Amino acid sequence: MCTAATYKTKDFYFGRTLDYEISYGDQVVITPRNYVFDLREGGQLKNHYAMIGMACVMENYPLYYDAVNEKGLGIAGLNFVGNASYKKPVEGKDNITQFELIPWILGKCATVKEARQLLKNMNLIDTPFLPDLPVAQLHWIIADKEECITLESLEEGMKIYDNPVGVLTNNPPFNYQMFNLNNYMQLAVENRSNTFSENLELNQYSRGMGGMGLPGDLSSQSRFVRVAFVKMNSLSGDSEEESVSQFFHILGSVDQQRGCCKLGEDKYEITLYTSCCNTDKGIYYYNTYDNHQISAVDMHKADLEGEKLYTYAPIKGEQIRMQN
Ligand SMILES: C[C@H](CCC(=O)NCCS(=O)(=O)O)[C@H]1CC[C@H]2[C@@H]3CC[C@@H]4C[C@H](O)CC[C@]4(C)[C@H]3C[C@H](O)[C@]12C
């Protein structure tokens, strides 16, 4: 499972958790403007916007899981197993594979508005990156500081939903996730008074009781409600440190601890990494399951006119600052 979120203070922040039982060899990757993407159905993507994000690099190709471009547009792919449906190539359409989607959009679009236009003629096709590599079944959150959308390629066709909460998890489809929030409209951040019965003496005996009923489990629907509630009510100062810190706290509400989500003998899903990209500054912050310290890569420190990928392996191991 995974969770993605947006957050706005002075700048705009975009990030996600990636929850899984194994790592594909994640790296922070900067793709400069003149790196050439050879598209599977012909043509090339070159002289594109530069981008930074988490990817696994295979055959010198950045297979992005989430990324942001130099214009401040962000996309993250999250599992959508059983619902994602990719098609065969169609003549006259932009036939894009699921692994090309992130570079295709970030390379060409500066805003969600432009992405909406580009998506109109796109057909997501089911070609794997390598013959023996399964095709990831995903849906996507696409956002800039003005608006946020969810993209789903379903059996019945492609859907683009407005995403007014700026969060995404996994199944079920996005319209169900949004509808499900109706069930939680009574949640509040303030303490409530007794509306149960005038004839009973019921009291607030603890702080935080306005949020009672907020689901605490790790299912995708529960994480959606929880992170939506936390994000929509989140407050922080607008300095870089305060914003980034608050962003990690928001996604911390859906963190997965080893042992709590069992997939099989000795197999557990955990939050492999959490990211937070300042989309205005092009700085990609992250921490990992075994290194809580926030590390960061600044895309503008790289030569964005270059042709070669810049890769940064995540810094491993807890960084504990001893005080005596
Ligand atoms: C596993 C992750 C989703 C995590 C998640 O949601 N786990 C919950 C399970 S649950 O279903 O919700 O219960 C997803 C998210 C992005 C994916 C990569 C996208 C590029 C590339 C596409 C190729 O086609 C296959 C290899 C490839 C490297 C992909 C590997 C893997 O698939 C990644 C990491």
Side-chain angles (χ1 to χ4, degrees):
M1 288 156 268
C2 304
T3 307
T6 65
Y7 187 56
K8 194 162 191 289
T9 57
K10 200 154 72 329
D11 285 346
F12 183 65
Y13 298 85
F14 179 91
R16 62 103 51 87
T17 58
L18 188 129
D19 307 335
Y20 213 55
E21 64 276 20
I22 45 144
S23 164
Y24 282 77
D26 321 325
Q27 303 196 71
V28 180
V29 181
I30 299 171
T31 303
R33 297 175 194 122
N34 292 307
Y35 170 92
V36 178
F37 289 92
D38 287 311
L39 298 170
R40 281 302 163 102
E41 291 298 312
Q44 288 184 326
L45 183 59
K46 46 186 182 183
N47 308 320
H48 49 74
Y49 294 132
M51 56 197 91
I52 182 167
M54 197 66 90
C56 108
V57 178
M58 280 188 210
E59 305 192 329
N60 193 38
Y61 190 102
L63 293 164
Y64 279 112
Y65 319 159
D66 54 89
V68 165
N69 71 11
E70 58 184 302
K71 296 290 175 185
L73 182 66
I75 312 189
L78 289 84
N79 259 7
F80 194 42
V81 177
N83 283 305
S85 159
Y86 309 125
K87 315 295 177 194
K88 295 289 168 221
V90 173
E91 218 174 296
K93 288 259 184 185
D94 297 325
N95 294 299
I96 299 297
T97 70
Q98 140 279 143
F99 62 83
E100 290 168 334
L101 177 76
I102 291 182
W104 172 250
I105 296 188
L106 294 189
K108 287 172 158 291
C109 304
T111 60
V112 172
K113 201 161 169 235
E114 288 180 22
R116 282 183 193 269
Q117 281 304 320
L118 189 66
L119 288 170
K120 281 196 178 141
N121 196 44
M122 188 189 73
N123 177 39
L124 267 184
I125 59 170
D126 63 0
T127 316
F129 181 71
L130 293 171
D132 53 353
L133 194 69
V135 174
Q137 298 186 49
L138 305 172
H139 60 171
W140 293 267
I141 178 171
I142 308 177
D144 61 20
K145 55 154 67 74
E146 304 301 333
E147 57 177 330
C148 178
I149 58 176
T150 301
L151 171 69
E152 297 186 336
S153 183
L154 301 162
E155 179 83 58
E156 65 260 37
M158 205 159 81
K159 302 264 188 215
I160 295 168
Y161 297 102
D162 290 336
N163 184 336
V165 278
V167 302
L168 189 66
T169 61
N170 310 102
N171 282 333
F174 186 71
N175 50 335
Y176 292 91
Q177 296 279 28
M178 284 304 294
F179 182 81
N180 182 45
L181 290 183
N182 288 310
N183 296 322
Y184 298 93
M185 65 181 227
Q186 78 285 356
L187 296 186
V189 292
E190 307 91 19
N191 261 342
R192 285 293 180 80
S193 51
N194 173 18
T195 54
F196 190 101
S197 164
E198 287 175 356
N199 302 325
L200 290 173
E201 179 76 26
L202 301 177
N203 293 309
Q204 290 282 346
Y205 59 85
S206 163
R207 294 178 179 184
M209 287 173 70
M212 264 190 156
L214 183 66
D217 68 277
L218 293 175
S219 70
S220 170
Q221 220 173 31
S222 295
R223 280 180 290 109
F224 190 93
V225 178
R226 193 157 72 247
V227 77
F229 182 76
V230 173
K231 182 223 150 145
M232 297 308 274
N233 290 299
S234 214
L235 294 173
S236 70
D238 61 11
S239 70
E240 185 71 349
E241 288 77 12
E242 289 166 302
S243 307
V244 171
S245 167
Q246 184 72 4
F247 192 94
F248 279 90
H249 283 299
I250 294 169
L251 285 183
S253 71
V254 288
D255 198 35
Q256 300 208 27
Q257 301 81 10
R258 186 182 292 115
C260 296
C261 178
K262 186 167 184 170
L263 304 170
E265 211 37 56
D266 289 332
K267 263 173 66 187
Y268 296 93
E269 185 163 299
I270 58 170
T271 299
L272 291 170
Y273 72 83
T274 304
S275 67
C276 164
C277 190
N278 178 324
T279 69
D280 295 286
K281 295 198 169 74
I283 302 177
Y284 191 93
Y285 299 88
Y286 71 89
N287 64 16
T288 65
Y289 195 85
D290 47 22
N291 178 10
H292 278 80
Q293 158 122 44
I294 298 170
S295 306
V297 179
D298 180 347
M299 80 187 290
H300 295 288
K301 298 248 170 87
D303 170 17
L304 296 184
E305 283 300 329
E307 295 158 18
K308 293 207 172 71
L309 300 178
Y310 289 82
T311 60
Y312 303 84
I315 298 171
K316 293 219 169 81
E318 291 292 356
Q319 317 285 310
I320 296 169
R321 190 194 297 189
M322 292 298 294
Q323 281 195 279
N324 66 356

